[in-house]
């Protein structure tokens, strides 16, 4: 049967573009057979305008407080892991970051001003993984794939299936490195039924287990 983990999910407690609350997200995912959610709320320069007057520390505290809210809602019924979908000032690309906690982000106050190459170095030094989210969505910029660990080859929010096919082709044909392949629902609203993630033989209960499974490829992609 396996255990289902969502790798790309947003909650209204922080992501301004999401309308689904943590408590309801947990209930919906539980009903769909998921055992783990990686909450990847957005983090970009625009969030200083959305949450006016916040310092970097206050913004990061608020970002990770949304994870704690979901954990409280989930209780013992589901595992909730902290992730981030980050965008830098340099362009409109988005990247999923797994393995950088609250203190790790606080230690990099200029993160959003970095290039992906600079940030990748910081993330790697902290043992984190960086995955380009929906790489062929309109407005995305081609990057040097030496500066990420992988690509999201399936994004459940795409209305054009070509984008996922292009992402999978990229992962299959990249000659610079073996790219980790991920799948995520990119969940924002109650109307979006969970459609992405990974299946593992054992439940993923913490960040260390998530990173280990992604690095060793010991999972099956959900591309529903």
């Amino acid at each position: 049967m396996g255990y289902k983990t969502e790798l790309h999910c947003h909650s209204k407690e922080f992501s301004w573009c999401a309308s689904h609350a943590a408590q309801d997200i947990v209930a919906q995912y539980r009903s769909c057979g998921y055992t783990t959610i990686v909450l990847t709320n957005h983090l970009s320069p625009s969030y200083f305008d959305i949450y006016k007057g916040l310092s970097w520390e206050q913004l990061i505290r608020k970002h990770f407080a949304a994870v704690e809210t979901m954990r409280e809602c989930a209780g013992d019924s589901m595992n909730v892991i902290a992730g981030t979908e980050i965008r830098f000032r340099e362009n409109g690309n988005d990247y999923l970051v797994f393995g950088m906690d609250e203190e790790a982000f606080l230690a990099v106050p200029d993160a959003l001003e970095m290039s992906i190459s600079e940030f990748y170095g910081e993330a790697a030094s902290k043992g984190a993984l960086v995955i380009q989210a929906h790489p062929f969505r309109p407005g995305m910029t081609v990057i040097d794939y030496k500066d990420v660990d992988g690509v999201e080859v399936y994004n459940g929010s795409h209305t054009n299936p070509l984008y996922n096919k292009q992402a999978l082709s990229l992962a299959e044909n990249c000659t610079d490195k073996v790219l980790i392949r991920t799948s995520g629902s990119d969940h924002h609203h109650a109307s979006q039924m969970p459609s992405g993630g990974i299946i593992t033989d054992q439940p993923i209960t913490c960040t260390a287990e998530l990173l280990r499974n992604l690095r060793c490829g010991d999972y099956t992609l959900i591309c529903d």
Side-chain angles (χ1 to χ4, degrees), residues 39-50:
L39 187 61
T40 54
N41 279 323
H42 293 286
L43 186 62
S44 72
S46 66
Y47 274 70
F48 284 110
D49 296 323
I50 294 166

Side-chain angles (χ1 to χ4, degrees), residues 6 36 40 43 48 58 65 84 89 104 110 123 139 144 163 173 178-179 186 205 209 214 217:
E6 174 64 82
T36 305
T40 54
L43 186 62
F48 284 110
Q58 290 169 327
T84 300
R89 200 176 297 279
D110 58 342
D144 185 338
Y163 303 146
N173 295 295
V178 176
L179 292 171
D186 202 354
T205 64
E209 292 173 356
L214 290 177

Side-chain angles (χ1 to χ4, degrees), residues 103-162:
E103 296 307 314
F105 270 104
L106 288 174
V108 193
D110 58 342
L112 302 182
E113 305 303 322
M114 291 180 170
S115 65
I116 179 55
S117 179
E118 292 169 332
F119 180 81
Y120 182 60
E122 288 285 346
S125 73
K126 293 172 171 55
L129 291 175
V130 180
I131 310 292
Q132 187 174 11
H134 40 69
F136 288 96
R137 184 174 290 182
M140 298 291 98
T141 299
V142 175
I143 63 168
D144 185 338
Y145 284 91
K146 293 178 182 178
D147 293 331
V148 294
D149 296 293
V151 294
E152 188 177 53
V153 299
Y154 178 84
N155 182 289
S157 74
H158 285 328
T159 56
N160 187 341
L162 176 62

Side-chain angles (χ1 to χ4, degrees), residues 1-6 26 29-38 74-81 198-200 202-205:
M1 180 178 89
Y3 297 86
K4 297 165 72 173
T5 296
E6 174 64 82
V26 168
Y29 272 84
R30 192 166 51 227
S31 71
C32 292
Y34 284 75
T35 56
T36 305
I37 297 173
V38 183
D76 296 330
S77 70
M78 181 170 287
N79 306 298
V80 177
I81 296 173
I198 58 174
I199 299 175
T200 54
Q202 299 297 325
I204 294 176
T205 64

Side-chain angles (χ1 to χ4, degrees), residues 86-100:
I86 195 169
R87 178 180 294 187
F88 309 104
R89 200 176 297 279
E90 67 175 358
N91 56 43
N93 289 2
D94 295 305
Y95 304 91
L96 299 172
V97 183
F98 304 128
M100 278 185 68

